Amino acid sequence: MSGFSTISCSVAQGICRIRFARPEAGNSITPQMVSELHAAFDLCEAKEGPDGRAVTVVVLEGSDDVFCMGGDFDAVAEDAVPMDPAPLYDLWLRMARGPFVTVSVVRGRANAGGVGLAAAADIVLADESASFALSELLFGLFPACVMPFLARRVGAQRARYMTLMTRPVGARDALSFGLVDALGERADELLRQHLMRLRLPGRAGIARFKTHAAAGLDDLEGQREAALAANREMFADPQIRADIRRYVRDAKFPWEA
């Protein structure tokens, strides 16, 4: 499917495969990427996909060595106006609530918002190279928008621990936490095995299940406004923005002389 610059997207046999296409920037998240992901989800939510069949599975993938490194710090350092977090939070809501199974396939590093792109999915697959980190606190931030989706998977205390420690969690620990659902030596083979089963249920049944599960298991919509307010307050802080600009310019963390 054409018309995208930050992602690639293809649909066949009711399965939509989306790949982040900014490897030179660690597949970092920009407003353009979020907009294009929403456009891809619009196509997936249509009653009939581009191939004439309703989409029942949406797969998100990164590069071989990095899934997604989170928000684009280069853009944060340069832009006078911080990125609006609402479209990204709403994208994760669509992943969690949409009438299809969302699958995030993590190879290599997932950081900050990249963890959100994993945690919001119905199923997370990973290979041994995968790692998950919340580095925000190193810059005086915290992952306000990621937390509701991450805590839904791993529990509030585990999400708190990952936030406070800021260090990467390896694939096997992420599996034990519940952030990863299945781990294999080759992520592509693991995905193939899952798609063989996931292609079988119809869209109506998937939609009913996800609506029922959402009503009884979590309150992602209820946490939205508080998460967005916290995100906006942090990214408006002049000191935080100065620390980010210094990191982009000099590769120095805030505590380094």
Side-chain angles (χ1 to χ4, degrees), residues 21-35:
R22 304 188 70 235
E24 75 289 347
N27 292 323
S28 56
I29 301 167
T30 65
Q32 179 67 22
M33 177 186 280
V34 175
S35 177

Side-chain angles (χ1 to χ4, degrees), residues 13-109:
Q13 298 181 324
I15 298 171
C16 176
R17 297 191 63 167
I18 299 170
R19 184 179 291 271
F20 309 134
R22 304 188 70 235
E24 75 289 347
N27 292 323
S28 56
I29 301 167
T30 65
Q32 179 67 22
M33 177 186 280
V34 175
S35 177
E36 291 183 3
L37 286 167
H38 273 292
F41 273 63
D42 288 342
L43 296 172
C44 293
E45 288 185 353
K47 291 184 178 180
E48 290 187 358
D51 64 348
R53 292 180 53 179
V55 171
T56 57
V57 182
V58 178
V59 179
L60 297 179
E61 301 177 80
S63 311
D64 289 340
D65 60 347
V66 59
F67 177 68
C68 172
M69 289 301 291
D72 187 340
F73 261 21
D74 287 338
V76 174
E78 294 174 4
D79 292 346
V81 180
M83 175 178 165
D84 182 3
L88 182 57
Y89 195 98
D90 292 341
L91 175 71
W92 293 340
L93 281 176
R94 295 180 81 174
M95 292 176 63
R97 300 287 190 256
F100 32 65
V101 181
T102 50
V103 182
S104 287
V105 183
V106 182
R107 306 173 183 87
R109 295 167 295 167

Side-chain angles (χ1 to χ4, degrees), residues 180-199:
V180 169
D181 296 300
L183 177 65
E185 292 184 4
R186 293 178 52 204
D188 54 349
E189 176 59 21
L190 194 61
L191 176 61
R192 185 191 69 81
Q193 294 170 3
H194 278 73
L195 290 180
M196 288 178 64
R197 297 296 302 183
L198 291 173
R199 70 174 72 243

Side-chain angles (χ1 to χ4, degrees), residues 115 132-138 142-143 147 150-151 154-170 173-174 176-177 179:
V115 176
F132 303 82
L134 298 174
S135 62
E136 288 92 336
L137 209 57
L138 299 176
F142 67 90
M147 288 291 284
L150 180 62
V154 306
Q157 181 53 38
R158 188 72 73 179
R160 182 189 297 264
Y161 180 76
M162 290 180 64
T163 299
L164 293 172
M165 292 303 295
T166 69
R167 67 186 180 195
V169 171
D173 283 339
S176 71
F177 292 176
L179 178 51

